[in-house]
């Protein structure tokens, strides 16, 4: 981890595993390094990045205005699949925030990610900016192999890809706006509405917001194949559905999860498999519920709109 941390400190990029998906990391205070993230991903310059931290205490470097309920959320769910949007401090420059007055922060729950962040902190690093390690708008990677397939041709010789096995959650973090009196979910994830309300003793806000966050565009998380939701698959289609759904004749089964948690964990790999098999269409029977299935349905709706 010493080499990877030193690489980031020197301005290189390091792709690393988190419990959600793999991230493409750079020194969050280095404008030139962060610019390379945008170039490698083909990401719009006004699309903000999430800063990954070693410890919740490090939030104070990045925000001067942290409401009590945000502290309660951090204590409850960090390290974990949750990003807090806070009013930024002077450390959070426009090249991180997309020119907004807010910054997204998270402490990931993965042994390799935390080891990297702690090693980076030891050598003076303040945080690692890391969107998902894929081309912009494409399916997020949940393995090191997927990162390599997606980005290897765009990376330089000094850049690294760390292999930490498959991501255990499989969909990106819940993003929560903490800039007003009540929390607001800007992107659903494994930390659910019920969990947030239970910890904060506050109702969620549903007021409109102008804050831009990762993964909030209408079309995102999309394979090359067309994604169709909740229809009967035809011969030659890829098919993702709970194990209780039978596979029609001539249909190519891509995943048969037995729970919503497993559905989230295997979804992106299944979509990538469709492209590897050069399938034109993928049909997904969406899971129901108000758990992580909310995040799954969010990603699938965006994926169904194509690239």
């Amino acid at each position: 981890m010493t080499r990877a941390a030193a690489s980031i400190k020197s301005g290189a990029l390091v792709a690393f595993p988190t419990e959600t998906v793999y991230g493409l990391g750079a020194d969050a205070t280095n404008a030139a390094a962060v610019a390379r993230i945008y170039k490698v991903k083909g990401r719009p310059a006004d699309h903000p990045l999430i800063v990954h931290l070693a410890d919740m205490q490090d939030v104070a470097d990045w925000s001067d205005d942290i409401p009590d309920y945000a502290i309660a959320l951090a204590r409850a769910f960090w390290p974990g699949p949750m990003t807090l949007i806070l009013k930024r401090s002077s450390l959070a420059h426009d090249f991180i925030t997309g020119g907004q007055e807010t910054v997204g922060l998270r402490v990931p729950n993965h042994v390799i990610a935390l080891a990297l962040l702690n090693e980076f902190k030891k050598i003076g690093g303040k945080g690692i900016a890391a969107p998902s390690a894929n081309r912009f708008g494409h399916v997020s990677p949940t393995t090191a192999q997927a990162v390599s397939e997606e980005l290897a041709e765009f990376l330089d010789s000094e850049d690294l890809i760390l292999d930490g096995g498959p991501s255990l959650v499989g969909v990106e973090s819940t993003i929560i706006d903490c800039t007003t009196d009540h929390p607001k979910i800007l992107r659903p994830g494994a930390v659910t509405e019920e969990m947030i309300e239970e910890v904060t003793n506050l109702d969620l806000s549903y007021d409109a917001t102008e804050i831009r966050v990762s993964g909030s565009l209408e079309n995102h998380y999309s394979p090359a194949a067309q994604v169709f939701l909740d229809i009967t698959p035809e011969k030659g289609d890829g098919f993702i559905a709970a194990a209780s759904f039978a596979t029609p004749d001539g249909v190519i089964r891509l995943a048969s999860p037995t729970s919503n948690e497993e559905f989230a964990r295997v979804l992106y790999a299944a979509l990538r498999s469709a492209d590897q098999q050069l399938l034109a269409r993928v049909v997904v029977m969406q899971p129901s519920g108000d758990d992580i299935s909310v995040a799954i349905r969010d990603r699938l709706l965006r994926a169904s709109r194509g690239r």
Side-chain angles (χ1 to χ4, degrees):
M1 224 41 65
T2 303
R3 179 191 170 201
S7 293
I8 290 180
K9 194 71 172 148
S10 72
L13 303 184
V14 174
F16 63 95
T18 79
E19 79 281 23
T20 57
V21 299
Y22 275 65
L24 182 63
D27 182 346
T29 64
N30 183 332
V34 170
R36 282 203 58 229
I37 289 180
Y38 283 89
K39 183 178 179 182
V40 167
K41 282 182 61 73
R43 185 181 177 95
D46 66 346
H47 215 54
L49 300 177
I50 293 169
V51 179
H52 291 64
L53 305 173
D55 187 271
M56 69 174 284
Q57 308 303 324
D58 301 331
V59 169
D61 291 333
W62 293 90
S63 176
D64 303 320
D65 187 356
I66 309 167
D68 289 344
Y69 72 79
I71 295 171
L73 287 168
R75 285 178 174 149
F77 301 121
W78 278 350
M82 176 187 72
T83 296
L84 300 183
I85 302 295
L86 297 164
K87 293 176 182 175
R88 71 178 184 177
S89 72
S90 58
L91 184 63
H93 294 286
D94 284 349
F95 60 79
I96 288 292
T97 70
Q100 302 177 113
E101 293 304 312
T102 55
V103 63
L105 306 170
R106 128 168 159 90
V107 180
N109 187 18
H110 191 290
V111 63
I112 290 178
L114 289 171
L116 174 63
L117 286 158
N118 277 292
E119 197 64 38
F120 187 58
K121 186 176 178 179
K122 283 181 191 174
I123 58 175
K126 291 292 188 180
I128 296 176
S132 55
N134 56 282
R135 294 289 284 175
F136 184 73
H138 292 200
V139 177
S140 300
T142 54
T143 65
Q145 179 64 30
V147 176
S148 181
E149 291 168 358
E150 185 93 5
L151 295 183
E153 66 183 288
F154 303 100
L155 296 176
D156 293 342
S157 57
E158 66 269 21
D159 300 327
L160 300 173
I161 299 174
L162 304 181
D163 190 344
S167 296
L168 292 179
V169 174
V171 294
E172 300 79 2
S173 61
T174 306
I175 299 181
I176 306 169
D177 177 7
C178 297
T179 62
T180 61
D181 291 340
H182 287 253
K184 177 181 174 64
I185 295 177
L186 302 182
R187 180 180 71 187
V191 175
T192 65
E193 179 174 329
E194 181 181 13
M195 293 160 71
I196 295 165
E197 290 182 339
E198 184 175 340
V199 165
T200 62
N201 292 314
L202 294 170
D203 293 332
L204 287 179
S205 168
Y206 295 94
D207 294 339
T209 179
E210 297 299 317
I211 296 175
R212 298 186 307 280
V213 296
S214 295
S216 59
L217 299 182
E218 276 197 13
N219 51 335
H220 213 87
Y221 313 109
S222 302
Q226 280 189 288
V227 175
F228 294 88
L229 306 178
D230 303 325
I231 66 170
T232 302
E234 301 172 359
K235 185 176 181 180
D237 287 348
F239 190 42
I240 302 171
S244 56
F245 285 88
T247 307
D249 290 344
V251 168
I252 300 149
R253 192 71 178 223
L254 298 172
S256 304
T258 58
S259 67
N260 289 346
E261 288 73 26
E262 185 186 359
F263 205 124
R265 191 160 53 247
V266 303
L267 174 61
Y268 289 159
L271 292 174
R272 285 181 173 276
S273 176
D275 285 351
Q276 289 162 355
Q277 297 180 61
L278 303 179
L279 302 183
R281 296 178 13 133
V282 177
V283 173
V284 188
M285 305 303 290
Q286 299 185 90
S288 61
D290 56 7
D291 53 4
I292 199 169
S293 61
V294 176
I296 296 169
R297 294 193 298 271
D298 170 80
R299 306 309 191 270
L300 286 171
L301 179 61
R302 297 174 199 276
S304 71
R305 293 168 176 152
R307 292 180 181 173

